[in-house]
Amino acid sequence: MRHLTSLKELSKDEILEFLDLADNFIDSEGFIRRDPLFPDKKVVNIFCEPSTRTKISFEIAASNLGCQIIDFDLSSSSLEKGESLKDTIDNLAKMNINLCILRHKDSVIHELIDQTDSMVFVSGGEGAISHPSQGLLDIMTVRHRKDLDNSNILIVGDLDHSRVFQSFIDGMTNFNSKITLCGPKELCKDVIESSNLNYEADLNKALKNQDVVMALRIQHERFEDKKGLDKESYLTNYQINNEKLEIANDDCIVMHPGPVNQGIEISEDVYNSANSVILDQVANGVAMRMAILIKYLSQ
Ligand code: CP
């Protein structure tokens, strides 16, 4: 049985297959097509960290495919009485749930996969390590506007704490676009040390000739001290605003996985500009999650 925990598990052909399958669910007017292929399948959403986009888009995707979707409410579950996540999963498996979408701050998904035979796991976000469905929908969004093999892509912000960044890079290593990283050294130190991607600390230099700019949220919940971060300095040096965006190519698209700290990583006018594809990412997320459910429920 296969599970989806990371885009490192997928080949280039498999990624392209996901992109094509997801595109199939978007009609000519941009609406998502329903296709009730799995009336007998049960899918559970277990989100041990907050979520809006991922959780709800998986719910809509499962419903569009005719699945029964169970929204596992942590606060009213027996986890609150001390039951372990492993026992919880064992019990859900006995209720014939076929697939579990799991978001957790720790890497528990791998132990659960090893311990459970009858349920497929799809990561809805694993700590700062991986967010494969987001990676796929981000690559899908780039492909709608740009050539995956011949674009300049800049990723700006809190790289060290971003699972979105990790999964996007895992997927994009299959393509030939040029990726540049940018952000305050306090938030990029680990990535600079471990990655062989080009890092440019100066956003004004980094933005030159870019076709795609992806801004990342500062993940305050993933580090305890302030890391010497100063809001005004971040805004001056790293916020994507109209003045900065002028440096990039005219048709440069602006992405952000959300949730957006409005007025921090990106100015409101850029968020609302024609360059912004941030809400397209959200819409594409439903189609991509339908493609993921089809693949992993069809085994
Ligand atoms: N991009 C993303 O994972 O958003 P949510 O946390 O709202 O799911």
Side-chain angles (χ1 to χ4, degrees):
M1 194 182 282
R2 283 192 68 189
H3 310 268
L4 181 62
T5 64
S6 161
L7 293 192
K8 288 182 181 142
E9 295 154 14
L10 302 183
S11 66
K12 177 176 182 175
D13 283 349
E14 285 173 315
I15 290 175
L16 290 171
E17 205 182 322
F18 274 112
L19 303 190
D20 291 342
L21 190 53
D23 279 344
N24 243 341
F25 284 108
I26 303 178
D27 73 17
S28 55
E29 291 172 17
F31 293 109
I32 306 284
R33 191 166 54 79
R34 292 172 67 95
D35 198 351
L37 295 168
F38 299 110
D40 300 328
K41 300 286 188 186
K42 296 185 185 66
V43 174
V44 65
N45 249 345
I46 303 184
F47 277 67
C48 304
E49 284 191 318
S51 170
T52 296
R53 281 148 289 271
T54 312
K55 181 166 181 279
I56 292 176
S57 60
F58 266 121
E59 270 174 30
I60 296 169
S63 160
N64 285 350
L65 294 171
C67 306
Q68 186 178 344
I69 173 84
I70 295 114
D71 177 11
F72 186 88
D73 176 17
L74 259 69
S75 63
S76 63
S77 77
S78 288
L79 287 171
E80 284 291 301
K81 293 189 274 189
E83 187 169 34
S84 69
L85 191 52
K86 172 179 185 314
D87 286 354
T88 303
I89 293 292
D90 284 346
N91 280 266
L92 296 177
K94 280 289 172 205
M95 295 180 216
N96 297 324
I97 290 179
N98 306 96
L99 186 147
C100 172
I101 298 143
L102 180 69
R103 172 173 289 189
H104 202 286
K105 69 177 175 48
D106 299 319
S107 297
V108 295
I109 193 166
H110 305 282
E111 291 156 39
L112 296 172
I113 286 170
D114 288 345
Q115 291 162 6
T116 316
D117 292 333
S118 61
M119 204 187 283
V120 178
F121 287 86
V122 170
S123 170
E126 175 188 342
I129 292 174
S130 167
H131 194 350
S133 64
Q134 180 75 40
L136 285 172
L137 77 87
D138 288 340
I139 296 170
M140 173 184 178
T141 306
V142 173
R143 191 174 75 153
H144 285 177
R145 305 289 189 107
K146 305 290 174 188
D147 180 350
L148 288 176
D149 282 311
N150 194 22
S151 296
N152 294 325
I153 300 177
L154 177 66
I155 308 178
V156 184
D158 182 0
L159 305 177
D160 280 349
H161 304 100
S162 176
R163 57 189 170 208
V164 173
F165 160 71
Q166 293 293 347
S167 284
F168 184 71
I169 294 297
D170 289 344
M172 286 302 295
T173 53
N174 292 287
F175 302 94
N176 293 322
S177 285
K178 183 178 173 209
I179 296 184
T180 303
L181 312 178
C182 181
K185 288 229 167 80
E186 303 91 311
L187 296 177
C188 303
K189 193 171 132 299
D190 298 343
V191 166
I192 294 168
E193 275 172 22
S194 63
S195 158
N196 51 14
L197 293 168
N198 178 40
Y199 168 79
E200 170 57 66
D202 183 342
L203 182 59
N204 294 318
K205 288 186 188 159
L207 277 164
K208 283 191 188 125
N209 300 321
Q210 293 298 338
D211 302 300
V212 177
V213 175
M214 182 189 288
L216 296 173
R217 183 173 69 89
I218 302 172
Q219 312 239 335
H220 289 291
E221 72 276 23
R222 298 205 191 280
F223 52 90
E224 294 195 343
D225 59 59
K226 294 270 178 218
K227 289 187 176 281
L229 276 181
D230 168 63
K231 183 178 164 190
E232 286 313 313
S233 153
Y234 192 90
L235 296 183
T236 305
N237 294 311
Y238 293 107
Q239 185 191 65
I240 309 298
N241 55 29
N242 271 335
E243 190 190 340
K244 291 271 198 291
L245 197 56
E246 293 261 307
I247 302 168
N249 291 343
D250 287 346
D251 59 354
C252 176
I253 58 169
V254 178
M255 301 174 67
H256 191 304
V260 176
N261 291 315
Q262 289 282 1
I264 305 288
E265 301 101 21
I266 180 168
S267 67
E268 277 193 55
D269 43 10
V270 168
Y271 179 88
N272 293 312
S273 71
N275 301 73
S276 168
V277 294
I278 295 169
L279 294 179
D280 295 351
Q281 289 172 262
V282 179
N284 292 337
V286 174
M288 179 51 74
R289 284 164 180 138
M290 287 174 75
I292 290 169
L293 290 178
I294 287 178
K295 278 298 210 186
Y296 288 88
L297 283 171
S298 300
Q299 317 179 69

